[in-house]
Amino acid sequence: MAKMYFGDVAENVVTRSEFPLEKAKEVLKDEVIAVLGYGIQGPGQSLNMRDNGFNVIVGQRPGKTYDKAVADGWVPGETLFDIEEACERATIIEFLISDAGQIATWPIVKKHLTPGKALYFSHGFAITYKERTGIIPPADVDVIMVAPKGSGTSLRRLFLEGRGVNSSYAIFQDATGKAFERTIALGIAVGSGYLFETDFRREVFSDLTGERGTLMGAIQGLLLAQYETLREHGHTPSEAFNETVEELTQSLMPLFAEKGMDWMYANCSTTAQRGALDWMGPFHDATKPVFEKLYDSVASGTEAQISIDSNSKPGYRESLEEELRALRESEMWRTGEAVRRLRPENSEQD
């Protein structure tokens, strides 16, 4: 583990060169890793570990995701089991079911947390809000976390490209004295680029804020506001979408992802630079109070309770699909579908 400076702040970081795959295999050579859940994170983490040569099994209820696991090569009775049997066989239980699903499944998992096992999360939700979730692990197991900073789909895609998603890691409970090595080995096993230290509380606070903020909620709100403004002033759907979304995602994001926002600014016209520098202040001042309100809602547990309550309601999946359908069928994203079909890599295949 090395100290790396981000600005003036030193953080604990573990890289692949410090903790190579072979070391991870040695640490986990006697472990059976059960991945519970095959929805969002489960496929990417389990498949990456399997491809990296670790002893992995999957625990999943019958249904569409079970069938997807079979299609991905997990063999019923050999590497694919129901949740209870997977927990019984495992020495490390990766609890990757949804937050609401973890609450419902906890009695089964807890029953099989015998001394010396490890309970692994990729989200700090269940432990941070344990008074609300009821998930309180026994004292004689390791409780650890590796949280890839990307979707399970991205984790898998980048792994297949020979790259990796950076992950945070945390140790909530070290019962065996091996929690750190287990955690880092698992982080390397799932394909992390590098691992940076956090704790369960900070992870969930930053994660819930980010998802509701710039990663998903705020970005959709901001894009829609600009798109609507352009449309209301007579611009066509294609022009509004290209100026709002397509140029951002296809041209500018790769630039500031590569070398930072200043480098992206420097590679745009002087007119664009001047306008961006002048207007970033008003946008910051307008949105900072919203982010403060959001963070307070996360820190108070309000966002957690909303999530628990809504995700546990009968018919939630159906109502969620209706909300997503409305988003998908909005003019902006129907225009986006048409614009994507016109990209060169797609039009050449027509």
Side-chain angles (χ1 to χ4, degrees), residues 45-54 56 72-74 156:
Q45 294 202 32
S46 61
L47 291 170
N48 289 0
M49 286 191 289
R50 185 178 72 182
D51 288 356
N52 271 334
F54 293 87
V56 187
D72 285 345
W74 301 100
R156 181 62 176 163

Side-chain angles (χ1 to χ4, degrees), residues 25 88 103-104 127 178 182 189 194 223 253 257 272 275 283 294 298 318 320 325:
K25 288 181 178 179
E88 186 176 3
I103 297 170
I127 296 297
K178 302 184 298 180
R182 274 174 148 177
Y194 73 83
L223 295 175
M253 275 188 172
F283 276 110
L294 166 58
V298 170
E318 291 75 13
L320 173 65
R325 183 194 63 76

Side-chain angles (χ1 to χ4, degrees), residues 13-14 25 27 29-30 44 57 60 71 75 124 152 159 188 209-210 212-213 237 270 279 297-298 302 307 319 336 343:
V13 170
V14 181
K25 288 181 178 179
V27 170
K29 65 181 179 181
D30 298 321
I57 61 175
Q60 178 61 42
V75 181
F159 175 86
I188 298 299
T209 301
R212 286 150 180 77
T270 54
W279 277 92
S297 187
V298 170
T302 300
S307 180
S319 63
R343 289 176 186 166

Side-chain angles (χ1 to χ4, degrees), residues 155-334:
L155 182 70
R156 181 62 176 163
R157 181 184 297 135
L158 291 173
F159 175 86
L160 293 174
E161 293 175 2
R163 297 189 287 159
V165 170
N166 298 330
S167 301
S168 60
Y169 74 91
I171 298 164
F172 179 76
Q173 188 167 281
D174 183 3
T176 66
K178 302 184 298 180
F180 176 78
E181 285 207 328
R182 274 174 148 177
T183 303
I184 302 305
L186 287 162
I188 298 299
V190 303
S192 302
Y194 73 83
L195 295 122
F196 59 94
E197 187 177 27
T198 187
D199 58 42
F200 276 62
R201 179 179 175 276
R202 282 163 43 207
E203 191 283 333
V204 74
F205 282 16
S206 61
D207 193 66
L208 293 185
T209 301
E211 289 168 349
R212 286 150 180 77
T214 59
L215 302 179
M216 296 174 70
I219 192 68
Q220 167 62 16
L222 189 66
L223 295 175
L224 183 60
Q226 178 171 303
Y227 179 87
E228 288 175 341
T229 300
L230 291 173
R231 291 287 288 121
E232 288 160 5
H233 286 273
H235 298 270
T236 66
S238 176
E239 184 173 43
F241 186 86
N242 272 281
E243 196 61 43
T244 300
V245 179
E246 192 75 353
E247 186 173 355
L248 172 68
T249 59
Q250 301 304 298
S251 176
L252 300 183
M253 275 188 172
L255 292 180
F256 68 76
E258 184 180 350
K259 292 187 179 178
M261 190 66 74
D262 61 320
W263 193 74
M264 186 267 277
Y265 277 27
N267 282 274
C268 293
S269 71
T270 54
T271 301
Q273 291 172 18
R274 183 70 268 144
L277 291 167
D278 289 346
W279 277 92
M280 68 180 183
F283 276 110
H284 168 272
D285 294 347
T287 58
K288 182 69 186 305
V290 180
F291 280 102
E292 291 288 357
K293 182 178 179 180
L294 166 58
Y295 193 87
D296 289 345
S297 187
V298 170
S300 70
T302 300
E303 292 300 310
Q305 196 62 52
I306 290 171
S307 180
I308 291 168
D309 292 345
S310 61
N311 294 354
S312 301
K313 287 179 180 176
Y316 172 70
R317 290 289 178 185
E318 291 75 13
S319 63
L320 173 65
E321 178 52 38
E322 181 60 26
E323 291 182 86
L324 294 176
R325 183 194 63 76
L327 184 64
R328 182 170 61 249
E329 295 181 3
S330 66
E331 184 189 271
M332 184 170 76
W333 291 112
R334 283 190 288 112

Side-chain angles (χ1 to χ4, degrees), residues 2-13 197 202:
K3 291 279 187 186
M4 290 194 66
Y5 281 86
F6 299 87
D8 294 328
V9 179
E11 296 186 34
N12 292 326
V13 170
E197 187 177 27
R202 282 163 43 207

